[in-house]
């Protein structure tokens, strides 16, 4: 008796413990979460490392038990997904499994809708707390994750589950039809055996009746002439009566039989040439042109079961012609050799079109095959290329006594079902194909989710980042170089015009500067209009303001600003 597995890692009714499969899935899910976390890192500051560990552990635990508890696993992973986008691929696997196992459409829709809503709500409510942005970004992020990692895999799982259930129903229906066919064939064989037994009862009963009748007459004749032999004759008569009674009792367990639809009851002429000619003539009167060819001696000296088999083959074949190919030409050929009787009944296509093959139950042919097999012969029945049908029987002239023990058509002789040669290889190929399909599906879903997250990240407002700090005394040289760069051309312009350096200074740099008032008169007029009439000496036209950073070692020691004269090449009307 097969009992359902209680392992938390297998589905209800699934055999095996599923521990190694669950461990492999947990390992693969952990690696996928690490890769996904690297991809979504740019959406904002991720949760602290201490918060990632329990969320990741919960995700992997729910992933491992998703087959046994599909609804709980999906809803739990939907909540975690709102906090940890890296749990998208495990959540997709749980959504696929849950939708695949749930058979009720309303429950499946409610579970998928509830899980998607849970992801969006948790993402909106807790996005600012876990550093994923504001509520609006949380809503966009939750919507993308719910659509790509829950809804889409759920739809795929729904389709796959319906397909599997349909295939399972078709297999069960095919198995039931095959079982019904076998039962029908077995019933036909048993019916034919019962018919044969009844025929033997009629034949043997007739012989026993003749023996009993003659023995009774002998008993009456010996009553006066030889009283001592009268008792022997009476004993034979009583034994014959007992044999007839026991024969009826033994064959009575076969049950009542339907009325035989032949040319008559079993007689000494059944199956002989005259009997087959009578069958052909009967079909001709029914509108079926029959041609009879008899080769070899008559069958009057053959056993009754052989003659009865020939009669039944011809009669059943002609009956099928009347039923399914009325008006078709029929050829009946009987060949009797020394050790075998061959019977062939072949009809062409009916005048109204091809023969309507396949419309009958086939029980008549099954019974014929059983009868011929019990005699040690073979029977073939198949359509012809011209649209007709042919029935060919090869019957031994002397039946084999052991042939009927277990014929080829007997269920008891059928070998037990053995696995097909390529069934194991096909199962392995199917599993490899399913694994490859699942991997490609996860990859495609991951790409889709990554694109969605990228769009959300690009649409999210970026915070203003502070620029580099302005140089100040005491700042390291590296920090100063982040703000500006040295310029050798400026150093050459400052030579001879810069103020003296302090003795403690070890090096100086002259960052590039912009010409302040060395510009056209119109620009200077615009500046004068702003009310800046009094300008410092270093801000006069025709001079350039320079800045010098001097370092004591690697630390900024002084910041000096000074002006240097600039030769102007402007036209006279542009002179100051």
């Amino acid at each position: 008796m097969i009992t359902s597995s209680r392992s938390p890692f297998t589905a209800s009714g699934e055999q095996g413990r599923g521990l190694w499969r669950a461990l492999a899935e947990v390992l693969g899910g952990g690696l996928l979460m690490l890769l996904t976390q690297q991809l979504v890192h740019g959406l904002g500051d991720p949760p602290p490392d201490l918060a990632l560990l329990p969320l990741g552990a919960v995700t992997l635990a729910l992933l491992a038990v998703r087959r046994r508890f599909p609804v709980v696993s999906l809803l739990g992973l939907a909540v975690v997904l709102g906090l940890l986008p890296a749990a998208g691929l495990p959540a997709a696997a749980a959504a696929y499994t849950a939708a695949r196992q749930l058979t009720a459409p309303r429950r499946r829709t409610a579970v998928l809708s509830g899980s998607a809503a849970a992801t969006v709500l948790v993402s909106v409510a807790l996005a600012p707390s876990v550093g994923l942005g504001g509520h609006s970004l949380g809503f966009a992020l939750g919507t993308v994750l719910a659509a790509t990692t829950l809804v889409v895999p759920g739809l795929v799982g729904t389709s796959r589950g319906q397909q599997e259930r349909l295939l399972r129903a078709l297999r069960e229906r095919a198995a039931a039809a095959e079982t019904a066919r076998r039962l029908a064939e077995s019933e036909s064989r048993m019916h034919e055996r019962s018919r044969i037994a009844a025929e033997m009862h009629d034949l043997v009963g007739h012989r026993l009746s003749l023996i009993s009748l003659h023995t009774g007459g002998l008993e009456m004749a010996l009553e006066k002439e030889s009283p001592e032999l009268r008792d022997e004759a009476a004993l034979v008569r009583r034994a014959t009566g007992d044999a007839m009674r026991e024969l009826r009792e033994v064959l009575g367990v076969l049950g009542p039989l339907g009325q035989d639809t032949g040319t008559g009851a079993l007689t000494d002429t059944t199956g002989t040439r005259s009997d087959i000619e009578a069958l052909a003539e009967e079909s001709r009167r029914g509108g079926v042109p029959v041609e009879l060819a008899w080769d070899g001696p008559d069958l009057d000296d053959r056993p009754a079961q052989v003659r009865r088999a020939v009669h039944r083959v011809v009669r059943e074949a002609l009956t099928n012609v009347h039923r399914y190919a009325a008006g078709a030409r029929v050829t009946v050929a009987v060949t009797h050799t020394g050790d075998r009787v061959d019977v062939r009944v072949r009809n062409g296509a009916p005048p109204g079109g091809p023969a309507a093959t396949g419309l009958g139950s086939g029980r008549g042919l099954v019974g014929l095959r059983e009868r011929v097999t019990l005699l040690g012969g073979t029977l073939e029945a198949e359509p012809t290329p011209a649209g007709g049908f042919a029935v060919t029987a090869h019957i031994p002239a002397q039946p084999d006594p052991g042939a009927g023990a277990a014929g080829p058509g007997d269920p008891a002789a059928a070998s037990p079902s053995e696995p097909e040669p390529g069934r194991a290889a096909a199962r392995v190929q199917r599993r490899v194909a399913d694994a490859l399909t699942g991997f490609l599906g996860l990859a495609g879903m991951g790409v889709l989710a990554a694109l969605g997250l990228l769009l959300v990240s690009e649409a999210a407002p970026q915070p203003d980042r502070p620029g580099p700090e302005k140089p100040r005394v005491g700042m390291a040289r590296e920090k100063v170089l982040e703000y500006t760069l040295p310029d050798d051309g400026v150093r050459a312009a400052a030579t001879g015009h810069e103020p003296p350096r302090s003795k403690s200074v070890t090096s100086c740099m002259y960052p590039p500067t912009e010409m302040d008032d060395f510009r056209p008169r119109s620009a200077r007029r615009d500046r004068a209009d702003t009310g800046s009439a009094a300008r410092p000496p270093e801000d006069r036209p025709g001079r350039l303001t320079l800045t010098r950073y001097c370092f004591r070692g690697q630390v900024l020691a002084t910041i000096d600003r000074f002006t240097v004269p600039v030769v102007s090449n402007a036209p006279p009307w542009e002179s100051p």
Side-chain angles (χ1 to χ4, degrees), residues 173-192:
R173 181 174 297 181
E178 181 67 17
T179 302
R181 185 187 65 81
R182 292 179 179 177
L183 291 177
E185 291 182 356
S186 177
E187 181 182 358
S188 299
R189 285 190 290 266
M190 295 302 298
H191 185 78
E192 190 66 22

Side-chain angles (χ1 to χ4, degrees), residues 6-12 61-77 94 97-98 101-102 107:
R6 296 184 179 274
S7 172
F9 308 117
T10 56
S12 179
L62 292 175
L63 175 65
V65 300
R66 74 185 190 280
R67 290 184 175 87
R68 185 65 176 178
F69 310 102
V71 177
V72 175
S73 299
L74 178 57
L75 295 178
L77 285 173
T97 303
Q101 292 185 4
L102 295 178
R107 185 184 181 191

Side-chain angles (χ1 to χ4, degrees), residues 26 55-56 95 125 127 173 182 201 222 274 290 301 344 362 390 414 436 452 492 523:
V26 168
L55 289 177
R173 181 174 297 181
R182 292 179 179 177
H201 169 268
L222 295 176
S274 60
V290 180
D301 59 343
R344 180 179 178 86
L436 183 59

Side-chain angles (χ1 to χ4, degrees), residues 197-486:
E199 292 170 358
M200 293 300 101
H201 169 268
D202 295 341
L203 180 61
V204 176
H206 176 66
R207 302 298 184 188
L208 291 178
S209 298
L210 292 178
I211 294 175
S212 178
L213 178 62
H214 290 292
T215 304
L218 181 61
E219 180 183 3
M220 295 178 62
L222 295 176
E223 183 176 2
K224 296 181 179 180
E225 298 180 2
S226 180
E228 65 276 7
L229 295 179
R230 182 181 62 84
D231 294 337
E232 298 293 336
L235 179 62
V236 172
R237 181 177 56 80
R238 288 193 298 269
T240 303
D242 294 340
M244 292 180 61
R245 185 174 58 257
E246 291 174 358
L247 181 61
R248 294 191 189 97
E249 292 176 356
V250 171
L251 297 180
V253 298
L254 299 176
L257 297 175
Q259 184 178 2
D260 196 5
T261 58
T263 57
L266 178 64
T267 63
D268 292 337
T269 62
T270 300
T272 61
R273 183 168 184 170
S274 60
D275 179 56
I276 302 303
E277 290 177 349
L279 290 176
E281 182 62 28
E282 183 180 356
S283 295
R284 294 190 190 100
R285 290 195 300 267
V288 176
V290 180
E291 296 181 3
L292 176 62
W294 188 287
D295 186 12
D298 204 345
L299 299 178
D300 50 2
D301 59 343
R302 293 302 179 184
Q305 56 265 41
V306 174
R307 293 185 284 107
R308 189 63 174 174
V310 173
H311 172 87
R312 286 296 307 277
V313 169
V314 175
R315 190 185 69 183
E316 182 68 25
L318 292 178
T319 301
N320 289 337
V321 171
H322 282 274
R323 185 178 301 172
Y324 306 117
R329 299 188 64 84
V330 182
T331 301
V332 179
V334 180
T335 303
H336 179 201
T337 60
D339 57 350
R340 193 173 68 176
V341 180
D342 296 331
V343 181
R344 180 179 178 86
V345 181
R346 181 171 182 172
N347 65 274
T357 58
L359 297 179
S361 62
R363 297 187 180 184
L365 294 178
V366 173
L368 285 181
R369 185 174 288 107
E370 179 70 12
R371 177 183 289 269
V372 174
T373 301
L374 289 175
L375 298 176
T378 59
L379 183 135
E380 299 175 0
E382 57 186 1
T384 61
F389 204 84
V391 178
T392 304
H394 305 286
I395 306 172
Q398 292 293 333
D400 184 4
D410 198 334
S415 59
S417 59
E418 298 178 356
E420 298 179 0
R423 183 174 299 178
R427 187 182 299 110
V428 173
Q429 292 178 359
R430 190 183 307 113
R431 291 182 178 179
V432 171
D434 292 342
L436 183 59
T437 303
F439 175 77
L440 294 178
L442 281 179
M445 191 276 304
V447 172
L448 183 62
L451 292 177
L453 295 177
L454 180 60
L455 293 177
V456 173
S457 175
E458 293 296 331
Q462 300 296 332
D464 296 332
R465 296 184 179 180
E469 185 180 359
K470 290 184 177 182
R472 55 180 175 78
V473 176
M475 182 179 288
R477 179 186 290 270
E478 291 79 6
K479 294 293 184 179
V480 177
L481 292 176
E482 291 179 1
Y483 182 81
T484 184
L485 295 174

Side-chain angles (χ1 to χ4, degrees), residues 53-122:
L53 292 179
L55 289 177
V58 171
T59 299
L60 296 179
L62 292 175
L63 175 65
V65 300
R66 74 185 190 280
R67 290 184 175 87
R68 185 65 176 178
F69 310 102
V71 177
V72 175
S73 299
L74 178 57
L75 295 178
L77 285 173
V79 174
V80 175
L81 183 61
L83 300 172
L84 185 63
L89 295 180
Y96 174 83
T97 303
R100 182 179 176 182
Q101 292 185 4
L102 295 178
T103 58
R106 293 184 178 180
R107 185 184 181 191
R108 181 173 56 244
T109 303
V111 170
L112 291 178
S113 302
S115 61
T119 299
V120 175
L121 292 177
V122 172

